[in-house]
Amino acid sequence: MAAKGYPKWLLDSKEGINSTKEWNAFLHELHDAIQQQLTESHVQYFSDLSEAEKELFIQRATKAIDGGTAYSSLYKKVSLILDQNMNEDVSRALLEDAPFGTKSDLIVERAEEGSLSLLKKWPDMKAKLYHCLNQPLTVQIRQLAWKLYLSNTKGNIN
């Protein structure tokens, strides 16, 4: 684990993504979509909105640009950068640490480590675990998922 409880490969990925033209294009498109919503809602400044309204505007804007060129390009770039950084980390571990597991085992372990660190930071993202359905979840992820869902006093799963 690296700084703030995140694996180094994940921090390197974030840094790499933030410096891409795809990220900047996505942000520009997202900004334009939010500006359009502000205009339609007759709101002058984004900062005038409450936190809940800001989140709603961002969700709507993201949904509006989902599947567009900027979104698709960013998605591909994120996949590429994550893949490269994780593979570099796993390859380094195979050379330096002489682990007992296979490369596949190490990749699963690194993905689990990254997922856990992100879920601990943003527990509301637990609904994204649905992407893992029909996949065997490791004990650590299952324990955290149960903890997050059982802490929900409203009883809904989102």
Side-chain angles (χ1 to χ4, degrees):
M1 286 274 191
K4 297 183 183 177
Y6 297 110
K8 183 179 178 339
W9 66 266
L10 190 57
L11 293 171
D12 291 345
S13 297
K14 178 186 174 189
E15 186 177 316
I17 292 163
N18 284 340
S19 64
T20 64
K21 64 180 175 145
E22 290 85 358
W23 176 249
N24 290 326
F26 175 79
L27 287 180
H28 180 71
E29 201 168 302
L30 183 63
H31 179 266
D32 289 347
I34 291 171
Q35 281 302 126
Q36 181 179 349
Q37 285 184 51
L38 290 172
T39 302
E40 290 171 358
S41 300
H42 306 293
V43 176
Q44 191 169 4
Y45 300 108
F46 187 73
S47 59
D48 292 341
L49 299 171
S50 70
E51 289 304 314
E53 291 170 326
K54 288 176 184 177
E55 187 175 323
L56 180 63
F57 271 58
I58 291 170
Q59 285 176 355
R60 286 181 181 165
T62 304
K63 188 176 268 188
I65 64 174
D66 185 5
T69 304
Y71 182 91
S72 298
S73 296
L74 178 62
Y75 187 86
K76 289 175 188 173
K77 185 58 110 177
V78 167
S79 294
L80 177 70
I81 290 173
L82 285 170
D83 185 52
Q84 287 173 341
N85 286 316
M86 186 185 290
N87 273 311
E88 286 174 14
D89 187 62
V90 167
S91 295
R92 187 174 24 260
L94 285 170
L95 290 173
E96 296 172 2
D97 301 338
F100 293 106
T102 65
K103 184 174 183 178
S104 296
D105 293 337
L106 291 176
I107 288 173
V108 169
E109 182 182 300
R110 297 305 196 270
E112 173 187 308
E113 186 179 8
S115 299
L116 286 171
S117 66
L118 292 172
L119 279 171
K120 287 176 184 174
K121 168 90 175 171
W122 293 296
D124 292 344
M125 299 296 285
K126 65 183 180 273
K128 300 296 180 188
L129 286 173
Y130 288 126
H131 294 291
C132 299
L133 289 178
N134 296 324
Q135 299 292 327
L137 298 175
T138 63
V139 171
Q140 292 87 348
I141 292 178
R142 278 196 311 263
Q143 287 173 343
L144 180 60
W146 275 108
K147 179 182 171 187
L148 292 172
Y149 279 108
L150 292 175
S151 68
N152 181 355
T153 58
K154 295 180 183 173
N156 56 2
I157 59 172
N158 291 336

